[in-house]
Amino acid sequence: MLPIVSIPESQLADLATAHAATLQPNLPEVLDGDSLLQLPTHPQVRHFVLFQLFQEWRGYMQRVRHPFFNYDAPAVQAAMAQLEQQLSHHLAVPGSEMPELLKKAVYNTLWLILNPAEALCKYFFGNKEVLEREKLERFAGFILCYDFLVQGLVHHYEKQGVDTITLADFREKLQKLAARYAEQVQPLAHYQAEQYRAAAGQPLPAVAEATAAGSASQGAEPVAPATLFATPAPTAGTPPAAPVDPRTPAPAPAMPTARMADTFGSRPSPNPEPGRPLRSDSIPLHKQFQYVQKVFGGDTQRFRQALQDINVLTSYEEAQQYLRTRIFNMPDNAHDEKVNEEFLAFVAGRFGA
């Protein structure tokens, strides 16, 4: 079974605020994609910051439509997709906006760690009972904590060939995967404690004991699941964003919708043209996050150096040898076969393979 630790909402909010405050003095006036990649915080926090940015941006982009134009035309959709990719490499987030983004990202990260079953169900399903498998695959790229379980679910449903997934079946399969991991690798409570320490900067047992005592004496209530994955407030001085999906319930804070992840989820990186050098800015920013964290152990400089090294090689076979002997077999590589193979496929485009 997946472990559950209940912490009062007020305490969890205080932890998120304190963590965001420690980062604030070191933030530049404006953050670009590189700045976000290098935020000195838990990788899941960085992913949830990015999730919020693209969710808000997607909401605004839904307003850029006019009845006199056919936005469903293939050429228009291709142009919009290209615009989205280019914009992902030209982030300019005011440092003054980061505290709120960070607080929400830390808050959501802690809840994902503390109550993974409920958090993942809310994250993928929102208030619905059925999820399209394609959307599960696209949302999955934003999850780093318990990603071995999420990717196991993606693989299972892909193998089964199902198009839609019910919430009940998702819960059941998630618990089965968790039990298998606990039997074969380690108790999930150990993993939970490691992730919590990394994200909160303090050990889980001490926090849990203090919380239990506080709850008994003060009657504190655990945080409500509806506060998970909150939509960030619009930038000051701008009109409220239109809902990403008009069918999504409107009560605040809104849950993320799968529409946002249609563009910024786990979509494979576009392959470079044969003979063209590999460039980091040809990879959607979210995929860069995933490659840096899982393929290169969180080392952005090593990721960029690898691209430079591969660009001077003369054949795909040499590139394969380089990756398999100097990247994929390293201890800091997550050994996520799907991500490694996806990165290899991206490199293959350089050589027309």
Side-chain angles (χ1 to χ4, degrees), residues 5-39:
V5 176
S6 295
I7 289 183
E9 180 175 3
S10 59
Q11 185 171 351
L12 194 61
D14 287 345
L15 284 168
T17 300
H19 183 74
T22 64
L23 300 177
Q24 181 63 20
N26 301 316
L27 293 176
E29 185 175 345
V30 177
L31 287 85
D32 58 11
D34 285 344
S35 302
L36 289 174
L37 273 169
Q38 297 169 25
L39 281 174

Tab-separated table of all heavy atoms in Angstrom, residues 5-39:
chain	number	residue	atom	x	y	z
A	5	VAL	N	0.775	10.179	5.116
A	5	VAL	CA	1.109	10.957	6.305
A	5	VAL	C	0.233	12.202	6.288
A	5	VAL	O	0.254	12.964	5.319
A	5	VAL	CB	2.596	11.352	6.338
A	5	VAL	CG1	2.885	12.246	7.539
A	5	VAL	CG2	3.480	10.110	6.385
A	6	SER	N	-0.547	12.399	7.351
A	6	SER	CA	-1.444	13.555	7.426
A	6	SER	C	-0.764	14.687	8.175
A	6	SER	O	-0.304	14.503	9.307
A	6	SER	CB	-2.747	13.178	8.139
A	6	SER	OG	-3.465	12.233	7.379
A	7	ILE	N	-0.703	15.839	7.539
A	7	ILE	CA	-0.139	17.046	8.141
A	7	ILE	C	-1.167	18.156	8.000
A	7	ILE	O	-1.766	18.315	6.931
A	7	ILE	CB	1.184	17.430	7.456
A	7	ILE	CG1	2.271	16.418	7.834
A	7	ILE	CG2	1.625	18.828	7.841
A	7	ILE	CD1	3.640	16.744	7.267
A	8	PRO	N	-1.411	18.940	9.040
A	8	PRO	CA	-2.399	20.024	8.935
A	8	PRO	C	-2.053	20.991	7.814
A	8	PRO	O	-0.872	21.244	7.538
A	8	PRO	CB	-2.312	20.724	10.304
A	8	PRO	CG	-1.745	19.695	11.212
A	8	PRO	CD	-0.817	18.863	10.381
A	9	GLU	N	-3.080	21.531	7.202
A	9	GLU	CA	-2.879	22.450	6.087
A	9	GLU	C	-2.030	23.650	6.486
A	9	GLU	O	-1.167	24.098	5.735
A	9	GLU	CB	-4.222	22.921	5.546
A	9	GLU	CG	-4.092	23.875	4.377
A	9	GLU	CD	-5.429	24.250	3.773
A	9	GLU	OE1	-6.470	23.818	4.302
A	9	GLU	OE2	-5.435	24.974	2.769
A	10	SER	N	-2.263	24.165	7.701
A	10	SER	CA	-1.509	25.340	8.127
A	10	SER	C	-0.019	25.040	8.213
A	10	SER	O	0.814	25.868	7.821
A	10	SER	CB	-2.023	25.823	9.485
A	10	SER	OG	-1.888	24.795	10.461
A	11	GLN	N	0.331	23.851	8.702
A	11	GLN	CA	1.741	23.506	8.822
A	11	GLN	C	2.364	23.290	7.442
A	11	GLN	O	3.493	23.706	7.189
A	11	GLN	CB	1.908	22.245	9.665
A	11	GLN	CG	3.367	21.894	9.941
A	11	GLN	CD	3.510	20.780	10.958
A	11	GLN	OE1	2.522	20.383	11.581
A	11	GLN	NE2	4.709	20.289	11.133
A	12	LEU	N	1.614	22.654	6.567
A	12	LEU	CA	2.122	22.428	5.226
A	12	LEU	C	2.315	23.760	4.490
A	12	LEU	O	3.320	23.969	3.804
A	12	LEU	CB	1.137	21.543	4.447
A	12	LEU	CG	1.635	20.914	3.149
A	12	LEU	CD1	2.820	19.993	3.422
A	12	LEU	CD2	0.519	20.143	2.480
A	13	ALA	N	1.367	24.667	4.658
A	13	ALA	CA	1.478	25.992	4.038
A	13	ALA	C	2.681	26.749	4.590
A	13	ALA	O	3.386	27.443	3.845
A	13	ALA	CB	0.197	26.789	4.258
A	14	ASP	N	2.930	26.624	5.900
A	14	ASP	CA	4.080	27.293	6.502
A	14	ASP	C	5.391	26.752	5.934
A	14	ASP	O	6.334	27.517	5.686
A	14	ASP	CB	4.066	27.116	8.020
A	14	ASP	CG	2.981	27.952	8.697
A	14	ASP	OD1	2.445	28.861	8.031
A	14	ASP	OD2	2.664	27.691	9.868
A	15	LEU	N	5.460	25.440	5.750
A	15	LEU	CA	6.661	24.837	5.179
A	15	LEU	C	6.901	25.352	3.760
A	15	LEU	O	8.032	25.674	3.384
A	15	LEU	CB	6.529	23.313	5.155
A	15	LEU	CG	6.711	22.577	6.479
A	15	LEU	CD1	6.270	21.124	6.339
A	15	LEU	CD2	8.167	22.645	6.924
A	16	ALA	N	5.832	25.426	2.967
A	16	ALA	CA	5.965	25.900	1.589
A	16	ALA	C	6.404	27.352	1.557
A	16	ALA	O	7.272	27.742	0.764
A	16	ALA	CB	4.637	25.721	0.850
A	17	THR	N	5.816	28.177	2.433
A	17	THR	CA	6.182	29.597	2.481
A	17	THR	C	7.632	29.778	2.903
A	17	THR	O	8.366	30.585	2.324
A	17	THR	CB	5.262	30.350	3.463
A	17	THR	OG1	3.904	30.213	3.025
A	17	THR	CG2	5.623	31.820	3.525
A	18	ALA	N	8.058	29.005	3.906
A	18	ALA	CA	9.437	29.121	4.395
A	18	ALA	C	10.439	28.701	3.327
A	18	ALA	O	11.476	29.347	3.137
A	18	ALA	CB	9.609	28.261	5.647
A	19	HIS	N	10.125	27.631	2.605
A	19	HIS	CA	11.038	27.166	1.563
A	19	HIS	C	11.133	28.185	0.433
A	19	HIS	O	12.226	28.485	-0.059
A	19	HIS	CB	10.564	25.823	1.016
A	19	HIS	CG	11.479	25.228	-0.005
A	19	HIS	ND1	12.690	24.659	0.315
A	19	HIS	CD2	11.385	25.123	-1.356
A	19	HIS	CE1	13.293	24.221	-0.775
A	19	HIS	NE2	12.511	24.489	-1.800
A	20	ALA	N	9.998	28.741	0.023
A	20	ALA	CA	10.008	29.757	-1.037
A	20	ALA	C	10.803	30.973	-0.598
A	20	ALA	O	11.518	31.586	-1.402
A	20	ALA	CB	8.570	30.153	-1.391
A	21	ALA	N	10.714	31.331	0.690
A	21	ALA	CA	11.435	32.500	1.195
A	21	ALA	C	12.943	32.296	1.152
A	21	ALA	O	13.706	33.237	0.911
A	21	ALA	CB	10.993	32.810	2.623
A	22	THR	N	13.400	31.048	1.358
A	22	THR	CA	14.846	30.791	1.305
A	22	THR	C	15.395	30.958	-0.101
A	22	THR	O	16.581	31.256	-0.277
A	22	THR	CB	15.179	29.379	1.805
A	22	THR	OG1	14.584	28.404	0.917
A	22	THR	CG2	14.659	29.158	3.219
A	23	LEU	N	14.557	30.758	-1.108
A	23	LEU	CA	15.004	30.878	-2.496
A	23	LEU	C	14.930	32.316	-2.999
A	23	LEU	O	15.703	32.712	-3.875
A	23	LEU	CB	14.145	29.993	-3.406
A	23	LEU	CG	14.140	28.494	-3.110
A	23	LEU	CD1	13.181	27.784	-4.048
A	23	LEU	CD2	15.535	27.908	-3.252
A	24	GLN	N	14.018	33.099	-2.458
A	24	GLN	CA	13.736	34.419	-2.987
A	24	GLN	C	14.957	35.344	-3.054
A	24	GLN	O	15.173	36.012	-4.070
A	24	GLN	CB	12.619	35.075	-2.174
A	24	GLN	CG	12.220	36.460	-2.652
A	24	GLN	CD	11.655	36.466	-4.062
A	24	GLN	OE1	11.223	35.428	-4.552
A	24	GLN	NE2	11.666	37.607	-4.718
A	25	PRO	N	15.818	35.431	-2.002
A	25	PRO	CA	16.942	36.378	-2.075
A	25	PRO	C	17.926	36.092	-3.202
A	25	PRO	O	18.655	36.991	-3.636
A	25	PRO	CB	17.618	36.206	-0.703
A	25	PRO	CG	16.558	35.651	0.178
A	25	PRO	CD	15.735	34.775	-0.704
A	26	ASN	N	17.947	34.852	-3.693
A	26	ASN	CA	18.907	34.476	-4.730
A	26	ASN	C	18.322	34.498	-6.133
A	26	ASN	O	18.996	34.110	-7.088
A	26	ASN	CB	19.456	33.072	-4.434
A	26	ASN	CG	20.150	32.999	-3.084
A	26	ASN	OD1	20.925	33.885	-2.738
A	26	ASN	ND2	19.878	31.947	-2.330
A	27	LEU	N	17.088	34.944	-6.268
A	27	LEU	CA	16.454	34.932	-7.580
A	27	LEU	C	16.844	36.171	-8.373
A	27	LEU	O	16.923	37.273	-7.828
A	27	LEU	CB	14.932	34.890	-7.430
A	27	LEU	CG	14.332	33.616	-6.845
A	27	LEU	CD1	12.828	33.781	-6.677
A	27	LEU	CD2	14.643	32.401	-7.712
A	28	PRO	N	17.087	36.004	-9.671
A	28	PRO	CA	17.341	37.187	-10.499
A	28	PRO	C	16.070	38.007	-10.674
A	28	PRO	O	14.969	37.560	-10.345
A	28	PRO	CB	17.794	36.586	-11.829
A	28	PRO	CG	17.183	35.224	-11.860
A	28	PRO	CD	17.138	34.758	-10.432
A	29	GLU	N	16.233	39.198	-11.216
A	29	GLU	CA	15.078	40.069	-11.420
A	29	GLU	C	14.088	39.456	-12.394
A	29	GLU	O	12.872	39.599	-12.240
A	29	GLU	CB	15.545	41.431	-11.934
A	29	GLU	CG	14.437	42.455	-12.060
A	29	GLU	CD	14.946	43.832	-12.446
A	29	GLU	OE1	16.165	44.066	-12.334
A	29	GLU	OE2	14.126	44.668	-12.872
A	30	VAL	N	14.611	38.772	-13.409
A	30	VAL	CA	13.781	38.068	-14.382
A	30	VAL	C	14.364	36.676	-14.587
A	30	VAL	O	15.579	36.526	-14.753
A	30	VAL	CB	13.735	38.818	-15.735
A	30	VAL	CG1	12.923	38.033	-16.757
A	30	VAL	CG2	13.140	40.214	-15.550
A	31	LEU	N	13.525	35.651	-14.588
A	31	LEU	CA	13.986	34.277	-14.748
A	31	LEU	C	13.665	33.781	-16.149
A	31	LEU	O	12.524	33.877	-16.609
A	31	LEU	CB	13.330	33.349	-13.726
A	31	LEU	CG	13.803	33.471	-12.287
A	31	LEU	CD1	13.046	34.569	-11.564
A	31	LEU	CD2	13.644	32.151	-11.545
A	32	ASP	N	14.675	33.232	-16.798
A	32	ASP	CA	14.455	32.554	-18.071
A	32	ASP	C	14.455	31.045	-17.829
A	32	ASP	O	14.485	30.582	-16.683
A	32	ASP	CB	15.520	32.954	-19.089
A	32	ASP	CG	16.939	32.649	-18.609
A	32	ASP	OD1	17.097	31.944	-17.588
A	32	ASP	OD2	17.895	33.119	-19.263
A	33	GLY	N	14.427	30.267	-18.900
A	33	GLY	CA	14.372	28.819	-18.757
A	33	GLY	C	15.573	28.252	-18.023
A	33	GLY	O	15.442	27.361	-17.179
A	34	ASP	N	16.770	28.763	-18.314
A	34	ASP	CA	17.970	28.290	-17.633
A	34	ASP	C	17.891	28.556	-16.142
A	34	ASP	O	18.305	27.737	-15.322
A	34	ASP	CB	19.214	28.960	-18.214
A	34	ASP	CG	19.585	28.402	-19.576
A	34	ASP	OD1	19.082	27.317	-19.924
A	34	ASP	OD2	20.367	29.054	-20.286
A	35	SER	N	17.377	29.719	-15.775
A	35	SER	CA	17.247	30.050	-14.353
A	35	SER	C	16.322	29.075	-13.644
A	35	SER	O	16.581	28.652	-12.514
A	35	SER	CB	16.724	31.475	-14.187
A	35	SER	OG	17.570	32.416	-14.810
A	36	LEU	N	15.230	28.700	-14.319
A	36	LEU	CA	14.306	27.746	-13.715
A	36	LEU	C	14.940	26.371	-13.591
A	36	LEU	O	14.730	25.663	-12.595
A	36	LEU	CB	13.025	27.662	-14.548
A	36	LEU	CG	12.105	28.886	-14.500
A	36	LEU	CD1	10.956	28.723	-15.477
A	36	LEU	CD2	11.571	29.099	-13.096
A	37	LEU	N	15.716	25.980	-14.599
A	37	LEU	CA	16.391	24.690	-14.544
A	37	LEU	C	17.340	24.596	-13.365
A	37	LEU	O	17.575	23.518	-12.828
A	37	LEU	CB	17.177	24.452	-15.844
A	37	LEU	CG	16.450	23.822	-17.024
A	37	LEU	CD1	17.299	23.907	-18.271
A	37	LEU	CD2	16.115	22.372	-16.731
A	38	GLN	N	17.888	25.724	-12.967
A	38	GLN	CA	18.919	25.732	-11.939
A	38	GLN	C	18.409	26.193	-10.579
A	38	GLN	O	19.214	26.429	-9.679
A	38	GLN	CB	20.075	26.622	-12.403
A	38	GLN	CG	20.755	26.105	-13.660
A	38	GLN	CD	21.719	27.096	-14.277
A	38	GLN	OE1	22.237	27.961	-13.591
A	38	GLN	NE2	21.959	26.959	-15.566
A	39	LEU	N	17.108	26.313	-10.400
A	39	LEU	CA	16.592	26.678	-9.091
A	39	LEU	C	17.080	25.669	-8.051
A	39	LEU	O	16.942	24.454	-8.241
A	39	LEU	CB	15.063	26.684	-9.104
A	39	LEU	CG	14.358	27.893	-9.709
A	39	LEU	CD1	12.852	27.649	-9.754
A	39	LEU	CD2	14.659	29.159	-8.923
